[in-house]
Amino acid sequence: MDKKQRQNSPYLHSSYTSSKGFSLIELLITLTVSAIILSVGVPSLIKIIERSEFRSELSLLHRTISMGHAKAAMNGWTVALCPLDAANECTNDWEQTLTLFEDRNRNQKKETNEPILYLLEANDDDRVMRRFSRNAPITFNPQGNAFGFNGTLTYCQNGSSTLGGTIIIANTGRVRLGEDKNHDGIAENSQGQNIDCSG
């Protein structure tokens, strides 16, 4: 191929034109569009992750309390769930590690002969709040009932009521997740009142 043929070759011309890079304007437009997509997408992704973590933690709390109800009825012992202090007595600081144990003598204290059934780790996130409506442990008697120990456990994340939930323990021992009957995005307690996650 002589010089003239090489100059007029469509293959050489195509190869030359396709090797061009972005112009400065094209690069700026691309960066701007990418920045807009990131600014919209990242906060949405963070919210999705937070909501997923919240649902997972609330589900774990629900399963733990339900386990207490089942163990009491199955083993024929009173079962309690509460945070324990240094003397192994139940307290009302629900941010601490929660201990599910057989409270055989019903004194709201874990004795050496009373086995631990489950441990739920302490809440080490300042943005998360756990609170029980009674100054008492969640307790199920050998029949699986919770007479005198019924109440609502509130769980909030990020101090936001819209990222909060409730677990309601009935006198009969039934354990259920609270609902949002008025569809305002805020979970309700056993009286149908919106929960307060302000602290």
Side-chain angles (χ1 to χ4, degrees):
M1 183 182 292
D2 60 23
K3 184 177 179 181
K4 186 173 182 181
Q5 286 175 321
R6 283 198 302 271
Q7 287 176 344
N8 293 331
S9 171
Y11 301 106
L12 291 175
H13 182 69
S14 173
S15 174
Y16 172 74
T17 55
S18 65
S19 66
K20 286 184 177 179
F22 288 110
S23 69
L24 180 59
I25 293 175
E26 289 172 331
L27 184 60
L28 288 174
I29 291 172
T30 302
L31 289 174
T32 302
V33 171
S34 299
I36 292 170
I37 291 172
L38 284 173
S39 66
V40 172
V42 169
S44 298
L45 181 61
I46 291 172
K47 286 182 180 179
I48 290 170
I49 292 171
E50 285 181 342
R51 185 161 293 279
S52 175
E53 288 176 350
F54 161 75
R55 287 177 177 165
S56 176
E57 290 295 324
L58 186 63
S59 176
L60 179 57
L61 277 168
H62 181 248
R63 291 198 309 271
T64 302
I65 299 170
S66 296
M67 183 195 306
H69 171 254
K71 290 283 188 181
M74 184 172 61
N75 296 340
W77 292 107
T78 294
V79 171
L81 174 70
C82 67
L84 297 174
D85 61 15
N88 279 335
E89 295 182 359
C90 285
T91 72
N92 207 36
D93 185 4
W94 289 81
E95 306 297 332
Q96 302 306 314
T97 297
L98 303 183
T99 304
L100 184 70
F101 65 99
E102 289 185 0
D103 189 14
R104 296 180 178 183
N105 58 5
R106 305 180 189 182
N107 66 347
Q108 301 181 16
K109 178 180 179 179
K110 200 204 84 61
E111 308 288 357
T112 54
N113 66 328
E114 295 174 336
I116 292 175
L117 304 173
Y118 191 75
L119 287 175
L120 194 61
E121 292 299 320
N123 168 32
D124 57 0
D125 189 341
D126 293 337
R127 301 171 304 164
V128 175
M129 180 189 74
R130 291 193 305 220
R131 183 174 58 211
F132 189 49
S133 60
R134 302 176 69 105
N135 188 20
I138 297 171
T139 304
F140 300 97
N141 65 26
Q143 290 73 45
N145 298 320
F147 290 114
F149 297 96
N150 61 305
T152 301
L153 182 69
T154 302
Y155 179 77
C156 299
Q157 196 171 47
N158 299 329
S160 167
S161 295
T162 56
L163 205 59
T166 55
I167 302 170
I168 299 167
I169 301 95
N171 270 320
T172 59
R174 181 190 176 206
V175 181
R176 66 180 177 89
L177 291 171
E179 299 179 64
D180 175 22
K181 291 183 178 178
N182 58 6
H183 305 290
D184 63 353
I186 302 174
E188 298 157 6
N189 61 21
S190 58
Q191 285 78 44
Q193 301 165 333
N194 285 350
I195 60 171
D196 177 16
C197 290
S198 59

